[in-house]
Each structure stands twice: as C-alpha cells, then as structure tokens.
Amino acid sequence: MDRGNGRLMTRTGLLALVCGLGIGLSEASAQSIGGGPRPTGVQRMEAPPTSQALVNALAAPFLTAQEAKERRVFHGMWEAGDLDSVEMRARAALLVGAIDHESLFDPAAAIEDRAEASMLRGEIREALSMLEGAPGFRAIRIRTQAHELLGDYDGAMLASDPLVRTMRDERLETAPDLVEAARVFMIRARIDGRAASEYHEIIAMLRRAQEEVDRLYWPAVFTQAQLLYEKDNRAEAGQALMETLTLNPRCGAAWHMLGMLSVDSLDIDQVENVALTMDANLELEPPPEEEGEDEKQDAEPAFESYMGDLITARGFMRLSMPDRAIEALEPSLERYPKMRELLATAAAAHATNFDYETTDEILAGLAELSPGSALGPFYVGRALSEARQYAKSAEYLEAATERQPNWSEPWIELGLMELQSGRDTEALTALRRATELDEFNIRARNSRTLLEELVTYDTLESEHFRIRYRPGIDEIMARDMLEPLDVIHENVASVYGWEPEDKTVLELMPDHEWFGVRIAGMPAIHTIAAATGPVIAMEAPKIGKQGLYSGPYDWPRVVQHEYVHTITLGRAANRLPLWYTEACAVDLESPVRDWQRWQLITSALENDGLHDFDGISLAFTRPKTRFDRPLAYAQGQWMLEYMMEIGGRDATLQLLDLYAEGVLESEAFERVFGITTDRFLEDFKEWGYKDARAHGMLIEPSVRDMLLEISLDDPENTDGVQAMLAELGIDRADAVEKLEGVALDQFEVTLAEPTPEVVEELLEQYPDHPDLLQMKIEYTVFERGGRVDDSMVPLLEHYARVRPVDPLPHRHLARLYLESDDKSRAIEHLEFLDAREQSSPSYAIELARRYAAISEWDRAWAKISRATQISPFDAGHRELAATVALRRGDYASAERHIVALTELEPQHELHQKRLEAVRRKMSGEG
C-alpha cells in the first residue's frame, strides 16, 4: 500500500500557503508548494485527551485478554500485538480508512468489514454480492447505503424495509442496533423526504444508545455529529466530533469531518494538519518503542489517506486553486477509480478550473456507475456557487434536484446560490422546498425567513440601482440614496469600462442580525456591507444597541467599494483573485490613504512582513493575526498603485480581461508586465520605499540609528562598546548598520534615551526629520498639559509639510483655530481630517458651520449633505441641512430633509408647519 512521499508535496503545499502569512514565504516554503521538503510547522494534529471513563473501562480487571484487546481495537487504542489476527487488522484498517489493506480482502475478516470497505472503494455491486443473505442491522445499513450510492433509491428503500419492520415489532436494546437503525433512517430521509418527521426519532435513538445503553459507544456520538453537520449546526457538530475523538482517537471518519469543518471555515492550516493525522493513522502497527517522540512526530507517513486527499482538494478549491485540487486527488483516484465521492470532487475541481468539458466527461462516467445519483452534479453546483459562477451552478444544482428531488442539500445550495445571485423568486421556491424536506437545517431556515421578510420590503429605483428596504424609518435613507448611487455608478463604470446588464440590487437591511443572515445565512458576521455580484447588501447606519446596530458610517464610500466588486467581478467573469478585486475596491473607495494604512504598510515593508501572492488572498478569509486582513487591504491597493505607475490604468484592465479568460495569475502578470510575480514583488518593494519616503515615512537615518550613534560615543559605554565590537568583529565606522537587531544590553551598552534635549540636538543636525519633529510636538504638547498655542504653529506646519499624511498637526491646528477669533483658519485642517473620516459626521458638521459662517453656502451644503449620509437618522443634522438648503434657495432639498424630520420626530408639530411653509414657497404661494 506504500504510495511513497510524492503526494506529501501537495499536502504540505496547502500549509505552505498559510506558513507564509504576514512574513512572506521562505524560498524553501515556496518550493514546497510544487515539491520539495515539508515546510516548518506542518505536523499531525493531536487528538483531545482520552476520556477517563474509557481509560478506566479498558483497564477493568474483569476483562479477559481477548475482551480487552477487542475493546482497545474498537476504540482505536490498540497496542503492539493487538492486531495479531486478520479479523483485528481488518477492523483497525476500516476504522482508520485503510480501505485497501490486505486484511480487507481476506475471507478470514468479518464479511461486514470486507463489504463496507468494498463499498467505500466504489466496488459497490461486489459489496452487495458479499452481503447477499447476511443478517443483522449493520448488513442492512450497508446494503441500504450501497443502493443509495448507486442511485438506486427504490432498491435502498427495499433494502431497509426489514429493519423498519423489525422496529415496529421490537424494542431495540443494543447500542450498535440503535446506531445502525439511526443511520438507515438518515439515508431514508434523504431518499423519501421525511427528514422533518424522522429527525426526532433519529435523535432519540442516538441519545438512547449513548445515554442509556453505552456511554462509551463512540459511533453514537459520531453519528450525532454527522446529523448536526447535515443540519448546518457546525458548532455542535464540532463539539460532537471532539467528544468522538476522546472515545476513539483514530476514527478516520471523525477526523475527515473535522477537516470538512475546517474547510468550511477556511481554517486551512488545520485542514493540512488533519490530513497528515489521517495519513499517520494508516500505519496500523505502532512505531518501535525505541523511537523518540520527536522522531515519531516528524516522521513522514508511508501512506496517504483518501479522506485527507478529499479535504485537501476541497481546501484548494476554497482558495481558488483548482489546479492544485486536481493534483491532490490524482493518487486516490488512481487507487480508487470507482469511488463516487472522489469522482464528484474531481468533477467539481475541473469545473472551478472552468474546464467544463472534462467536468461533464467525469460526470458521464459517474452516471454510468451510478445512473440515478445526484452526488456529482451536487458537488459541481456547490463548488461553482462558491466560485460565483451562478448561472452554471444553477444548471448542475437543478440537475441534482431532478435526480434526487427529496434530498434537501441540493435544494438548500440552490436556494442560497439564487439568493446570492439576486434571483429571489427562484431562491424562495428552492428554500421553501428545502425547509419542507428538512425544517431543521439552520442556514436554510434562516435564509427562508429572510426571503419571506424581503418579500415585504418596498422598492425605489434609480437609473442603475434598485433599492429594497423595510417599510418605515429606513425609507428616509433609501430616498436619499438614489442620486448618490448613480454618481457612484458613473465613478466606477467610467474607470472599468463595464456595467451590469440589469440594475444592481441594493438591499438595505434594518440591523446587523438581518444583514448577517442575508450574507451568510447566520446572524453573526463581522462586516457592514458585502457584494455577491448582482446584489449589494448593507446595514442601515443606525445608533442603538451594541451588536444590533453598526452606528454611523460613510455609506457612499462603503457602497462605492462594494460596487467596484460588482463591476470588476462582472468584467472578469467572477474569476478574479480575491486580493485583486479588493485592491481595486480600496483604490476607488477614497482618493486618499489614511494614516493607519500608511503606518501598516510601511511597518510591514520595513520589517519584511508584506504578504506574498499566495498569502495576500488568504489573509482576507483566514487572517492569522489581527493585522493580516487590514494589511491585505492596504497592501493590495498599494500594489495596484504601483501597477498603474509602471503600466497605467490599461494594464490593470488587461489583467481583468485575462482573468476572465481563465488565465492564471502568474501567467497574466508575465503577459501584462513581462515579469514573474516574484520579480514584481521585488520591484514593488523597491518602489514602495521610494513612495514611502516621498510621503515622509521610513526616513533615514532612523531615530534608533541616531540614538545608537550617540550611545556608541557615550563615554559611559566605552568599555561595553569596545567589548561588543571586538566580540562581533565589527568596525566602528559601520557599527550602526551592522548592529541592527542586536540586543545592546547583553554587552552592558545602554541605548540613549530620546529626551527633549536629545531631540533638540538631533534636530539641529536633521531639521526636517519627521520622526524628530513628531517627538518634539508630543513633548511640547505634554509639557503644556495637552494644549497648543500660537507659538507652536510653525512647528506644526513644518511637520505637516515634511510628513503630509499624518493627521496629528491638523488635529492640533484645527482645535487651536476653532478656539480663536478667526475660526475660518480651521477649515483647511478640518477638510484634511474629514477626507479621512469614515464613521463620524463631526468634521463634516463643523465644516458646514464654518462655511455657513462665511456665507459659503454651496460648500456648507456639500458638508452637511455628507453628515446626513454618515448619520442619516440624526434629526439635528437634518435640521441644519434644511436650514442650509433654504439659505441656498434649494426648496426641494429643504423639503426632503424636513419630510425626514416629520418621520424621525413625528411628535414635533413644528416640523409639519415648516414643511407646509416650504411647500407654499415651492408652489409660489409663500
């Protein structure tokens, strides 16, 4: 069964993508993606601690030697010498997933074990032949499962009928019978659509098996995990899997499902570790006792699990790397060419590689093996939905529902896919059918509830958008969105030269919980807006209960970001690398980069912490640190800026078109820029230093180098410095450069403190150094109790010139001037701050007041309009907006804001009187 170590390269390649997050891949790690040694950090995942009750049971003194051995094998805890018979080896092999172990072909093995292994290998008719006439619930379950895999649903129901009849006449007493019966009922539910009516009966059987009959019977716990996973109850499924592993640390099926949970949550490093654990578990005999623990952990497994290949392939598909997924499946497909799940997964991988010809060839072969099975089209449709290929996804998912109309999963995926694509009528039809078949699936139930909520929403339309909103107070915001949305369309479509065939649907969700259900089918989600292509969903920027409402935010900026996704994904046929569509979106959401992003990207550049091309997309979906995702947003836009520097906007559009053709990223970069992605990153970093310095960042020498220079010349450090330089073999002339990263205190050398006096001395030598000027500002403000005065203006303006991206001097100057007699001097600094503000209307409000004070009514109007966009439900802002509109003679806008006031504060009669007065003016009566 030894397959060598070749496939380990693909497995470790998956984790190599993760190992590079935040620090860039080392050369060795980068090589391992396509071959080479396993990267550091790849290791098997440890099972949770063994249940103490199990430990006690295995050590029970009343057990015979044979009974103790059988228990150890059943619980996956066999010892050297336990697998001393064909029967024991076959049990162990089936347990860990070594389904082609020689013992499982030996007539001395239990017929059920041999038949189940045959069925899992895809040799289904052979399995049925073996079990012909075999008694017992397990034999019935295997026959039922085999017929289901063949797509012979009538045969499956007939095969299970004897069990159903037995249950009518007898009370099941053993845990194995209860669990096998539950598994049969789960299959029957998929076939005849009685999941809702039989769910409670299945749960009751499993609980009775575990709680009343045998608390250590791990198959009862694992089958509960299977059932919970089917219902999209991932949290409780995960808990049940961990409990299973406390009772059987080698259960291959439990590890496989744990890997699938990791795929679903994009926990790719855990996917890899789980796969390697399954590989290692295929070694039935324990390693020699003399082998140390470190050697055991580091040893490469001699075998590779087909279940590990399945989750590895799914992981690569979720990372939009279908070619790697196809490669990951090859060895298992060679060994098990009839295994239905492998074939279905391979078809899905080719589909996400946009090779529909190969996809359909595989599905045709699968249909010959299992003529009525829906598995293949379901896997393909689900994968295409994840890849946002909605039209093709619908074809395959609809085919799956036609083949197996009572199986809820294809209906659920079809409904969720149609929901994301904006086809709500089709989505509701599918989800209603799904919840009729399985009312206990959480995502399906939540999404159906959402769609039935959306049916009650009102709609407003602009030239390019269709806004849906809950009737009531949200209409205030929806009305205000019409004109800005069409401006957003022009901003984006004019840059990318593409626009949707139909109006983009914008769904204004009333709160965060409804928004979460809209996007993910679950109420908890960590964002405020999202685009699925033809649909943009966002939550209304309301103030209220934390967790339920987002609070104010700059929705035009957010929607422009999301609309860039709609446009770029549309032009690129939804085939964009994630980082690239985010880079395009960040680039157009605002003309300026804020201070936080400048600090983030320059720190990452200086510390060799920029993402590489593999890591940057993964950082959005599975960040390793709290900095990974914001760095990915900022770095992607910076990379796009560099692309436009070297190739112009046309180069970025050429990339979109190549991606639309299915060209891989590495080839697309070579065709557009004439260089590899590795060379692009090297050139980008070199340019990045120049760009940073042009904006007052990463200025040399650094403050640390200046302080180190002082320290090296400090007489108190003379002995320590001489000893340090001698030990390190460094000349004094280049000591500052070569001592970077060296801990000085180990040589009893003290780094000089940047005291105000030291900073002043250094400024005499480096008068324009922004770090020194910043430190001087901070010292001075601190000495003055946090206040600034006119004497500091030259210093603040000097710093603003040499580091034009830092808001610090503008905050101080704005505050200073707002407290002065001439408050208009604060305007330029308030404008700087407002251009970078995303979640507060405070700067815009103050600017509106300042412009109004000098009768600059058009500018006052622009700023108060921005304030009402950021916080549209604030009556005070609406009051000021109506006042400014009246001063401009813009009665229509005044009317709009006063109407909003009558809805926000219906108890105030004054609003209605003002509204009537404005309308008289508009009609010429006033």
Side-chain angles (χ1 to χ4, degrees), residues 338-561:
K338 295 181 180 180
M339 186 184 289
R340 275 50 169 187
E341 187 171 9
L342 280 171
L343 290 167
T345 304
H350 283 284
T352 54
N353 209 27
F354 310 113
D355 182 359
Y356 296 116
E357 183 177 351
T358 302
T359 296
D360 291 338
E361 287 176 3
I362 295 172
L363 291 181
L366 188 53
E368 288 183 12
L369 291 170
S370 297
S373 174
L375 191 69
F378 168 61
Y379 272 40
V380 171
R382 180 181 62 183
L384 288 172
S385 175
E386 291 170 354
R388 297 188 181 188
Q389 301 298 309
Y390 298 129
K392 291 295 278 186
S393 172
E395 290 179 25
Y396 290 100
L397 289 174
E398 286 170 0
T401 62
E402 290 168 6
R403 291 191 187 184
Q404 196 168 350
N406 293 326
W407 185 19
S408 62
E409 285 194 54
W411 287 107
I412 292 168
E413 289 297 331
L414 179 62
L416 295 175
M417 181 277 296
E418 296 288 19
L419 179 59
Q420 300 308 316
S421 69
R423 297 181 1 134
D424 291 347
T425 301
E426 292 83 354
L428 186 54
T429 299
L431 288 171
R432 280 176 173 162
R433 177 58 179 157
T435 50
E436 287 169 4
L437 293 169
D438 185 359
E439 64 180 285
F440 299 100
N441 186 282
I442 295 174
R443 278 199 310 158
R445 189 172 66 237
N446 285 345
S447 297
R448 174 180 171 173
T449 301
L450 167 73
L451 278 167
E452 290 172 342
E453 160 87 358
L454 289 175
V455 168
T456 69
Y457 280 24
D458 288 339
T459 302
L460 290 173
E461 296 195 25
S462 69
E463 184 178 354
H464 299 285
F465 288 85
R466 186 174 297 115
I467 307 170
R468 296 167 56 164
Y469 60 93
R470 177 187 278 181
I473 196 171
D474 290 354
E475 184 179 353
I476 296 173
M477 181 174 176
R479 291 193 301 258
D480 285 354
M481 296 177 80
L482 293 171
E483 185 177 339
L485 283 174
D486 283 339
V487 173
I488 288 169
H489 168 82
E490 182 59 31
N491 292 344
V492 179
S494 62
V495 168
Y496 287 102
W498 189 91
E499 57 182 71
E501 293 180 2
D502 197 6
K503 293 182 180 182
T504 298
V505 175
L506 191 146
E507 293 176 348
L508 182 62
M509 308 311 296
D511 56 46
H512 190 71
E513 288 186 357
W514 277 111
F515 170 71
V517 173
R518 176 63 184 86
I519 294 303
M522 305 294 276
I525 190 171
H526 304 291
T527 187
I528 54 176
T532 63
V535 177
I536 296 172
M538 60 178 286
E539 58 179 288
K542 296 174 181 174
I543 300 173
K545 180 182 177 183
Q546 187 174 7
L548 183 60
Y549 299 111
S550 65
Y553 67 88
D554 185 354
W555 74 257
R557 174 174 176 158
V558 170
V559 171
Q560 182 147 309
H561 176 112

Side-chain angles (χ1 to χ4, degrees), residues 531-597:
T532 63
V535 177
I536 296 172
M538 60 178 286
E539 58 179 288
K542 296 174 181 174
I543 300 173
K545 180 182 177 183
Q546 187 174 7
L548 183 60
Y549 299 111
S550 65
Y553 67 88
D554 185 354
W555 74 257
R557 174 174 176 158
V558 170
V559 171
Q560 182 147 309
H561 176 112
E562 299 302 333
Y563 193 56
V564 173
H565 291 321
T566 297
I567 295 293
T568 54
L569 289 168
R571 177 162 177 164
N574 286 313
R575 298 178 181 182
L576 275 181
L578 178 56
W579 79 267
Y580 193 69
T581 185
E582 293 296 353
C584 294
V586 173
D587 183 61
L588 278 196
E589 76 175 39
S590 172
V592 295
R593 180 181 295 119
D594 64 30
W595 175 234
Q596 287 74 22
R597 282 180 174 164

Side-chain angles (χ1 to χ4, degrees), residues 204-260:
M205 285 189 284
L206 294 173
R207 285 180 176 166
R208 183 164 165 250
Q210 184 195 11
E211 297 173 6
E212 297 179 23
V213 181
D214 186 351
R215 288 189 173 275
L216 301 181
Y217 192 68
W218 63 263
V221 186
F222 173 66
T223 307
Q224 289 180 57
Q226 286 182 301
L227 188 62
L228 291 164
Y229 187 79
E230 280 187 7
K231 308 305 176 190
D232 276 315
N233 190 339
R234 306 298 168 82
E236 291 188 29
Q239 293 170 11
L241 289 172
M242 297 308 285
E243 184 180 351
T244 301
L245 292 172
T246 68
L247 299 172
N248 186 336
R250 284 188 172 107
C251 178
W255 283 111
H256 175 244
M257 188 173 290
L258 191 65
M260 288 305 300

Side-chain angles (χ1 to χ4, degrees), residues 579-709:
W579 79 267
Y580 193 69
T581 185
E582 293 296 353
C584 294
V586 173
D587 183 61
L588 278 196
E589 76 175 39
S590 172
V592 295
R593 180 181 295 119
D594 64 30
W595 175 234
Q596 287 74 22
R597 282 180 174 164
W598 269 114
Q599 291 176 295
L600 194 60
I601 56 178
T602 54
S603 175
L605 177 62
E606 184 178 30
N607 294 290
D608 195 26
L610 292 174
H611 299 301
D612 65 8
F613 274 92
D614 288 325
I616 191 168
S617 284
L618 191 59
F620 288 104
T621 54
R622 197 68 193 181
K624 302 287 285 184
T625 74
R626 64 188 180 93
F627 300 109
D628 279 350
R629 184 182 285 119
L631 175 59
Y633 279 110
Q635 179 187 330
Q637 188 276 331
W638 209 19
M639 289 165 65
L640 186 73
E641 189 177 330
Y642 175 59
M643 290 179 198
M644 290 189 281
E645 180 85 8
I646 61 176
R649 175 67 73 177
D650 286 347
T652 66
L653 300 180
Q654 288 174 43
L655 277 180
L656 290 177
D657 295 335
L658 289 173
Y659 293 139
E661 295 171 15
V663 177
L664 296 178
E665 185 168 63
S666 56
E667 181 184 347
F669 265 72
E670 290 191 18
R671 286 168 62 172
V672 173
F673 299 109
I675 55 176
T676 65
T677 51
D678 287 343
R679 177 58 188 273
F680 174 88
L681 276 177
E682 291 174 11
D683 294 348
F684 161 67
K685 290 174 184 178
E686 184 178 340
W687 171 85
Y689 273 105
K690 295 177 183 177
D691 189 49
R693 286 167 184 151
H695 290 86
M697 307 295 288
L698 303 182
I699 301 300
E700 294 181 340
S702 68
V703 172
R704 184 187 183 279
D705 286 352
M706 297 180 209
L707 298 175
L708 181 56
E709 194 73 58

